[in-house]
Amino acid sequence: MFDTSKLKETRRVACHMSAETAQMVSALDKAAAVYALRGDSFAQGKAGICLDLVAKLEKYGSFASDKQREFAQKLITWSKPREEKPAMVADWGRPVPKLFKVMQRHAHFYADPLKLSRRNQDSLCWIIWNDQVVGKIEAERATVWKRKAEAAGTTALAVLAVIEEFEADPLGTAQKYGRESGRCCSCRRDLTDPDSIAAGIGPICATKFGGF
Ligand SMILES: [Zn+2]
């Protein structure tokens, strides 16, 4: 556990330190405080790294290398709150009323590496990515779990981007993926009929999207 009392130490600005370096010390101090208070895995250990850099700057008055300076800059930038970046949120949710309705007519739905699987006799659907469950669609809302998405080799943001595409235009997006892959999103069969290949979906499967 990081010792936050370290943050309260008074910083002495060494006389051999330039104004720029003094500013860096102050910024790294603030960054350390931010990292120390954040509980996410990205922040882990970074408070200590910031304070190590501060100690080095106070001792030597400058960075040992440009690389070290760049790294310090990055640590400061990363510590700043990033608004409008839903990927930073642990779990990410979105209303998906149209996709929810489409899924009530499907047991499975495929847009590799995305797969949606509805539980038998249930409205709940699992959101699967690379064969791993990364979220769910329940009560017309899609939720993607950040950690699960990362474990499946992607990000919550990337999964939700595909989900949102389907929500915006379920049939049109199924056709787009169908044309790209040559396989029907609805039943996963290869599209062989020339009309179906052109449409990106089979005629019977297309009716499962009706009216949404
Ligand atoms: Zn089909």
Side-chain angles (χ1 to χ4, degrees):
M1 193 62 202
F2 180 76
D3 177 13
T4 48
S5 68
K6 278 190 199 165
L7 299 169
K8 296 188 184 92
E9 283 173 19
T10 340
R11 300 274 168 224
R12 282 174 295 114
V13 177
C15 56
H16 56 282
M17 203 185 273
S18 71
E20 190 206 348
T21 308
Q23 226 168 34
M24 196 64 117
V25 165
S26 153
L28 281 167
D29 258 339
K30 277 188 199 131
V34 171
Y35 286 128
L37 293 171
R38 266 170 52 172
D40 59 295
S41 60
F42 180 79
Q44 206 164 19
K46 289 198 169 61
I49 298 170
C50 288
L51 292 181
D52 279 350
L53 286 167
V54 165
K56 286 198 178 92
L57 285 175
E58 288 185 328
K59 189 168 176 192
Y60 302 111
S62 63
F63 286 109
S65 65
D66 286 344
K67 234 177 180 172
Q68 197 182 55
R69 177 193 301 275
E70 279 163 30
F71 183 55
Q73 281 291 9
K74 278 183 188 158
L75 284 165
I76 292 162
T77 306
W78 292 334
S79 73
K80 302 228 166 96
R82 291 198 235 169
E83 282 155 38
E84 309 303 323
K85 282 269 174 107
M88 297 297 286
V89 176
D91 302 323
W92 201 34
R94 277 284 186 278
V96 288
K98 285 192 277 184
L99 186 57
F100 180 82
K101 285 197 188 82
V102 169
M103 280 313 296
Q104 302 318 302
R105 296 181 177 182
H106 288 86
H108 304 288
F109 189 85
Y110 311 88
D112 283 340
L114 174 76
K115 179 181 172 186
L116 303 176
S117 271
R118 188 162 58 89
R119 289 205 321 207
N120 283 343
Q121 312 296 322
D122 201 335
S123 64
L124 181 131
C125 295
W126 297 117
I127 300 171
I128 295 157
W129 194 273
N130 285 333
D131 297 322
Q132 294 184 58
V133 174
V134 296
K136 62 178 180 176
I137 298 175
E138 194 175 25
E140 302 195 351
R141 190 171 177 82
T143 304
V144 175
W145 301 304
K146 185 174 179 275
R147 293 270 166 85
K148 298 266 188 191
E150 282 162 8
T154 183
T155 62
L157 197 64
V159 176
L160 262 295
V162 181
I163 299 276
E164 283 188 319
E165 218 185 330
F166 276 106
E167 173 61 21
D169 179 9
L171 179 58
T173 306
Q175 289 180 296
K176 187 195 111 179
Y177 278 85
R179 283 189 211 103
E180 280 172 9
S181 67
R183 276 199 297 198
C184 178
C185 283
S186 187
C187 67
R188 215 186 199 182
R189 288 198 198 103
D190 287 337
L191 298 165
T192 50
D193 178 79
D195 289 341
S196 300
I197 292 169
I201 196 161
I204 294 162
C205 292
T207 63
K208 294 183 182 177
F209 295 80
F212 312 133

